[in-house]
Amino acid sequence: MKKIDLRFWQNPRLRYGSLSTLLLCASLAVLVALNGLFTALEDRYMWRVDCSFNRITTYSDATEQVLSGLNTPVEIYAMWERGYEDPQLQELLNRYCAASEHLSWSQTPLSLHPTMATAFSGTTSDDQVTSDCLVVYCAATERFRVLTGSSFVSATVDLEANRLHIDSVTYEQALTAAISYVTQTDIPMVYMIQGHSEADYQSAALLNELLLDSHFDVRYTTLAKAELKRGDVVVFLSPQFDLTAAELEKLAAFMNAGGSFLFAASADDPINGSSALPMGMPNYRELLRVFGFVPLDGMVWASAGEPGSYDGLYRYNLRADLQAAETTFDMMYAGALKLYMPLCRAFETPESTSTLHTAPLLTSGEKSYLHQTTLSNQSIAQSPDDPTGPFTLGIEAYRFSETGEVSRAVILGSTSMLISEAAHSSANTREFLLRVMDYLTGSDSASLNIAPKVAARPALSSGAITLSSVLLVALPLAILAAALIILYPRRHL
């Protein structure tokens, strides 16, 4: 076997001459090229480990499913000015784009692209393009969604301390829902039914604004003019007169085709009858019973001995308790447990069957009572005949038709909860209403079921049974043990 002659490398010209310099430069060029190649591959395929405590830049299986099913180009414009970027959001955007070739994002400072403000801004102050927002745009559908700073946090209202508490971040929720929205071929139509003395456009202006901001199409019309189709939502806001037989027949056909309903029924609505309407609204009650909704008479009052169950001085302004259901899952996970509900009506708690599934959404306090005032008795005190709570104040339901279609419905015992300024001043209420609409349409965060990420790392404390608290005690003990091991042999020196 021929040996390799290593004397070649001992040649002075190679060791000290221009050839060595050339080889050094070539080696550096190869290293730089390899570094650039692996950096590009790292950025393209996101070969980076998320080491954050809450894995804020790691997306869930729900997002992966949305991104893998993306078949139309989606562009995301980050309107940040240079030097004011959000590093965590940037990292998450890079991971999204690495997962789908149809998704791209670019930093587009508003100061350099002022026309973006008019091209993508909506009609309300919450939907305006600013220097701290993202614009998610799909040219194929010509739809967009503006995500502002408030879109990326989940906040709960501390009614006792009268302050807003940010407890989780919703980067993934907001981004995935926006991508899902802009790529949808059909947008749900929300029909606000008129013709039975329901709340009109002026009365429901705040609800209308909320729905438009969330990219629902809203139309106020009578049932005769409504062109109902599968995927639409029919909303009844406290009707004061009954449905006609023809209207009930049209709604039954809509329901059997997979249509969805949102009912709002306050305590003073004449569903079961009143002095002006003795028979009440039998056709409307029949429609409600299809989903297991049976309204009770009277108003729900909070007990004076249960101050945490009502708001302020008035015991008809309830602080309803959220119950675990598909609509409320993410809210309860984020720590929202109560909602403001004034002038409430209660409902019988329905039972699920083979074709109907129901779940309570909201309940009153355990000491609440159901009381009905009359002309001869205007007292609001609980009488011996008044039933005691808790009462069901909101219910979600879905049922299967004979053709296999699924129709969804939600009933809430307070119309003011949907339309009053006091209710809409609460971030929890607005989020709840949007989740109700998501449930009814089967879209966005309710169907994606993406849990928020904790906003702040929990502080180390000896009272918490966690790895952090163990380390809090273990580290000083380990240092003490090491010191004893070292110092013990020297004790006589």
Side-chain angles (χ1 to χ4, degrees):
M1 181 177 178
K2 187 177 179 180
K3 296 183 178 180
I4 300 175
D5 187 2
L6 299 179
R7 289 177 297 176
F8 169 77
W9 298 102
Q10 298 176 1
N11 189 320
R13 290 182 300 175
L14 179 62
R15 295 168 59 187
Y16 306 109
S18 59
L19 184 57
S20 62
T21 304
L22 181 61
L23 287 175
L24 177 61
C25 292
S27 300
L28 290 175
V30 171
L31 291 175
V32 171
L34 288 174
N35 180 69
L37 174 62
F38 283 106
T39 300
L41 290 174
E42 180 186 20
D43 292 337
R44 175 64 183 86
Y45 299 103
M46 290 307 295
W47 292 341
R48 283 195 289 270
V49 178
D50 184 356
C51 296
S52 60
F53 82 96
N54 57 359
R55 297 179 63 82
I56 195 170
T57 64
T58 301
Y59 54 75
S60 64
D61 293 339
T63 294
E64 185 174 355
Q65 184 176 359
V66 171
L67 296 178
S68 62
L70 202 60
N71 51 23
T72 54
V74 175
E75 300 173 81
I76 301 177
Y77 302 102
M79 311 306 295
W80 310 313
E81 299 295 332
R82 302 295 179 185
Y84 291 90
E85 298 87 350
D86 185 334
Q88 293 176 327
L89 187 51
Q90 281 182 303
E91 184 77 2
L92 187 59
L93 287 171
N94 288 334
R95 291 187 185 274
Y96 271 53
C97 294
S100 174
E101 61 181 6
H102 296 289
L103 188 65
S104 62
W105 82 276
S106 60
Q107 187 170 351
T108 314
L110 188 59
S111 60
L112 301 179
H113 304 270
T115 56
M116 298 285 284
T118 55
F120 292 111
S121 287
T123 57
T124 66
S125 58
D126 294 331
D127 200 21
Q128 301 297 312
V129 173
T130 60
S131 58
D132 63 347
C133 74
L134 296 184
V135 177
V136 183
Y137 173 65
C138 178
T141 60
E142 296 185 346
R143 285 201 299 275
F144 67 91
R145 175 164 284 181
V146 178
L147 301 177
T148 62
S150 60
S151 305
F152 300 122
V153 296
S154 177
T156 56
V157 178
D158 188 342
L159 296 176
E160 296 180 356
N162 193 27
R163 64 185 180 89
L164 194 65
H165 177 63
I166 297 176
D167 49 15
S168 58
V169 290
T170 56
Y171 285 144
E172 184 189 356
Q173 274 183 313
L175 277 175
T176 304
I179 294 169
S180 178
Y181 163 76
V182 300
T183 55
Q184 289 177 7
T185 55
D186 296 316
I187 299 299
M189 175 66 74
V190 178
Y191 285 99
M192 301 288 190
I193 300 303
Q194 303 291 280
H196 313 89
S197 293
E198 297 91 346
D200 57 13
Y201 176 82
Q202 286 75 23
S203 302
L206 292 174
L207 177 61
N208 186 75
E209 179 181 336
L210 178 65
L211 295 176
L212 291 177
D213 287 349
S214 304
H215 305 286
F216 289 95
D217 288 333
V218 182
R219 184 174 302 171
Y220 289 77
T221 184
T222 62
L223 275 170
K225 296 180 180 179
E227 300 176 357
L228 304 180
K229 65 181 185 300
R230 187 179 185 277
D232 294 339
V233 180
V234 168
V235 180
F236 287 97
L237 298 177
S238 287
Q240 302 300 302
F241 298 101
D242 201 9
L243 301 169
T244 65
E247 289 174 331
L248 182 60
E249 183 178 355
K250 183 173 184 177
L251 291 172
F254 171 65
M255 175 182 58
N256 291 328
S260 298
F261 298 83
L262 173 59
F263 304 101
S266 292
D268 56 351
D269 294 338
I271 301 175
N272 294 334
S274 65
S275 57
L277 202 66
M279 296 297 294
M281 297 185 282
N283 288 338
Y284 187 61
R285 291 199 302 268
E286 181 178 346
L287 177 63
L288 296 181
R289 276 197 298 268
V290 173
F291 293 100
F293 304 154
V294 178
L296 302 176
D297 290 328
M299 181 184 294
V300 181
W301 294 82
S303 170
E306 199 174 24
S309 65
Y310 63 96
D311 187 40
L313 301 175
Y314 303 102
R315 291 191 283 119
Y316 55 76
N317 290 333
L318 304 185
R319 295 177 64 187
D321 297 311
L322 281 171
Q323 302 299 308
E326 182 177 347
T327 302
T328 58
F329 172 80
D330 286 342
M331 291 188 64
M332 297 187 70
Y333 182 88
L337 301 177
K338 290 183 177 292
L339 290 182
Y340 172 74
M341 292 187 72
L343 307 171
C344 281
R345 176 186 290 274
F347 307 94
E348 291 184 6
T349 303
E351 295 183 359
S352 298
T353 66
S354 59
T355 59
L356 176 66
H357 178 273
T358 63
L361 295 178
L362 297 154
T363 59
S364 62
E366 293 185 0
K367 296 181 181 180
S368 60
Y369 59 94
L370 195 61
H371 179 75
Q372 187 171 14
T373 59
T374 62
L375 292 175
S376 58
N377 182 16
Q378 296 294 317
S379 172
I380 64 172
Q382 184 177 10
S383 65
D385 296 332
D386 291 338
T388 303
F391 300 102
T392 301
L393 307 178
I395 308 169
E396 69 176 27
Y398 65 84
R399 66 181 298 277
F400 297 96
S401 68
E402 296 179 356
T403 59
E405 296 288 349
V406 178
S407 179
R408 296 172 178 258
V410 169
I411 191 166
L412 300 173
S414 171
T415 303
S416 296
M417 178 189 186
L418 280 78
I419 65 176
S420 71
E421 185 174 357
H424 279 261
S425 64
S426 168
N428 284 345
T429 300
R430 293 170 65 87
E431 183 178 357
F432 173 77
L433 295 180
L434 288 180
R435 293 191 180 279
V436 165
M437 298 305 299
D438 290 342
Y439 170 79
L440 294 175
T441 58
S443 62
D444 280 356
S445 53
S447 61
L448 293 172
N449 201 22
I450 299 172
K453 303 292 180 68
V454 179
R457 183 192 297 271
L460 291 176
S461 65
S462 57
I465 309 301
T466 62
L467 178 61
S468 300
S469 59
V470 171
L471 292 176
L472 187 67
V473 177
L475 286 177
L477 290 178
I479 295 173
L480 178 61
L484 291 175
I485 292 172
I486 295 172
L487 295 177
Y488 182 77
R490 305 180 182 183
R491 64 188 185 280
H492 298 302
L493 295 181

